[in-house]
Amino acid sequence: MQGAACRSDTMDSRLLHDLNAALPRDGAQQSVLHEPEDLMLYEYDGSVELARPDGVVFPRTATQVVEIVKIANRHNVSLIGRGAGTGLSGGALARRGGIIVSFARMNQILEVDTANQRARVQPGVVNADLSLNAGGPHTLAYGVTTNHVLAIEVVLPTGEIVHLGSSALDPPGYDLAGLFVGSEGTFGLITEITVKLTRLPETIKTLLAAFDSVDDATETVVEITARGITPAACEMMDGWTIRAVEDYVHAGFPLDSAAILLIEVDGLQEAAESQAAQVAEVCRLHRAREVRVAKDSRERDLLWKGRKNAFGAVGRLSPTYYTQDGVIPRTKLPQTLRRISDIGRQYGFEIGNIFHAGDGNLHPIILFDARDKQQFQNAVAAAGDIIAFCVEVGGAITGEHGVGMEKDHLMPLLFSEADMALMQRVRDAFNPAQMLNPGKIFPSKSCGEIHVRPQHTGSGSRSRA
Ligand SMILES: Cc1cc2nc3c(=O)[nH]c(=O)nc-3n(C[C@H](O)[C@H](O)[C@H](O)COP(=O)(O)OP(=O)(O)OC[C@H]3O[C@@H](n4cnc5c(N)ncnc54)[C@H](O)[C@@H]3O)c2cc1C
């Protein structure tokens, strides 16, 4: 089993002593965890991966992060940055042991400058407190994290603090802040972030369109964007998932439809209304049997409640499920969904589909029982086949969940050795000894063996999106 086999089981007492000295207790809370029962909470994130760290530390300031880095260098241990630990690719797990640096207590919004549309925040601030598009439903119109991050403060593996980017527009020099976003904790530990604030739209129109065939729904998505309309969100759910959700949330989704689209347009009132009318027309052209516009915020919230609780709904139906994340050109949606359905039949798995259709970001959900070793292997194999097909049609191995330790072995599907060697040289410029988040992103051998996924023994649903 990867992870556990490659590290010591207890934290070195001198290391523990140094960490405790640098991070005194925080009131009633410990700032350093090292007991096995505490570490169990940090051996997983939202993915199907597992790896237990040797310790977890909770800094409150950048100065404490610098101290942690210096101690880690002295003791030759690796560090893994962790935010809320909700990632879906094992990015925040200690794949090769080491100390997790949890930013859960660096969670302050330091400054909100509405006039200049900027906010300065600590890295542990969660989405519920400051809505920042990591990916997800509103990516189509609003972009992903890199489109909202302007500047960062970083502690490098040397212990130096650097400031990258600027809250002013178009700073000169290399876009190193952009380079850090998406580096999955392999370049440095981020201790402060300046983000761009986006004004809420004047009007939001939310439409639900129901179809009798998946192809009609996917072709509708292709035509909406081909007409130059960029919805704020364009989400799709297939028939199996609709029924799972409706049974749980009662959002009013038509139970006998093969697929639904949840489409949102926003902006100034006249523009939003005109776009909503055009979207409805395209849906009907593609044989939508029902197009419903939410009358008020209560109806809108109910439709979104259905979408957002879909993964919870699926979790009621299977001991485990595995959410995949692939991205394809949206024109390839019809054939890709057909292929996913074939893969499900081939392996004997139910595969539900709920995804960000507008940007071709798929989330097939494979239902299986992780207690059955063969099923676990087959689920991983089915997921690999789906991702290989995404690449074959011109897509990529991840749309928003990242590579982490889940998909490092799939990187060669997309990149040549020369491509990956260049990326590794960039990583080495910041993190030459791989003391930060080792064993992530690039295909690796650990302990002389190819990585084998640890098997989950728990019975809960593991992965959501
Ligand atoms: C129910 C559910 C729904 C989701 N929906 C979406 C979605 O719609 N779109 C989407 O994009 N994602 C989604 N996700 C995935 C995930 O929640 C988000 O991507 C989220 O932004 C990850 O933040 P986190 O703080 O939990 O990251 P973590 O899992 O803690 O860390 C992610 C990566 O960032 C690194 N890292 C964390 N903090 C630092 C730091 N301070 N410095 C350096 N590196 C650091 C870690 O090492 C790791 O590699 C969903 C997850 C769940 C469970």
Side-chain angles (χ1 to χ4, degrees), residues 81-88 91-92 103 123 134-136 184-185 188 190 400 437 464-465:
R82 183 172 171 113
T86 66
L88 291 162
F103 287 94
E184 301 190 26
I190 296 171
E400 59 185 19
N437 217 356
R464 302 176 284 270

Side-chain angles (χ1 to χ4, degrees), residues 140 221 223-231 265 274-276 278-279 282:
L140 184 57
V221 175
E223 186 166 340
I224 288 172
T225 44
R227 284 193 180 199
I229 302 168
T230 305
V265 290
S274 147
Q275 287 205 339
Q278 290 178 61
V279 166
V282 177

Side-chain angles (χ1 to χ4, degrees), residues 27 85 130 136 152 212 214 287 290 296 314 316 357 364-365 397 428:
L130 183 91
I152 50 176
D212 288 327
V214 170
R287 295 168 287 282
E290 180 189 353
D296 48 32
V314 172
R316 298 162 75 227
I365 312 167
I397 63 172
D428 292 348

Side-chain angles (χ1 to χ4, degrees), residues 45-46 79-93 101 103 123-127 132-139 144-145 154 180 183-193 235 307-308 311 321 356 361 363 399-401 404 436-437 440 462-465:
D45 60 359
L79 298 175
I80 303 95
R82 183 172 171 113
T86 66
L88 291 162
S89 60
L93 300 189
V101 183
F103 287 94
V125 170
V126 296
N127 224 8
L132 178 67
N133 235 26
H138 291 98
T139 304
V144 290
T145 313
V154 185
F180 264 68
S183 63
E184 301 190 26
T186 61
F187 288 179
L189 293 167
I190 296 171
T191 46
E192 194 179 301
I193 308 160
E235 300 285 295
R307 164 62 183 86
K308 301 231 166 180
F311 291 89
Y321 62 85
H356 318 305
N361 187 185
H363 290 314
E400 59 185 19
H401 295 173
L436 288 182
N437 217 356
K440 303 293 170 65
R462 270 298 184 187
S463 186
R464 302 176 284 270

Side-chain angles (χ1 to χ4, degrees), residues 370-384:
R371 294 165 295 190
D372 177 334
K373 194 172 178 185
Q374 188 58 50
Q375 278 200 37
F376 187 91
Q377 298 296 347
N378 286 349
V380 172

Side-chain angles (χ1 to χ4, degrees), residues 337-348:
L337 285 200
R338 284 195 290 272
R339 179 76 186 113
I340 291 172
S341 170
D342 290 346
I343 291 170
R345 266 193 298 278
Q346 180 191 334
Y347 285 93

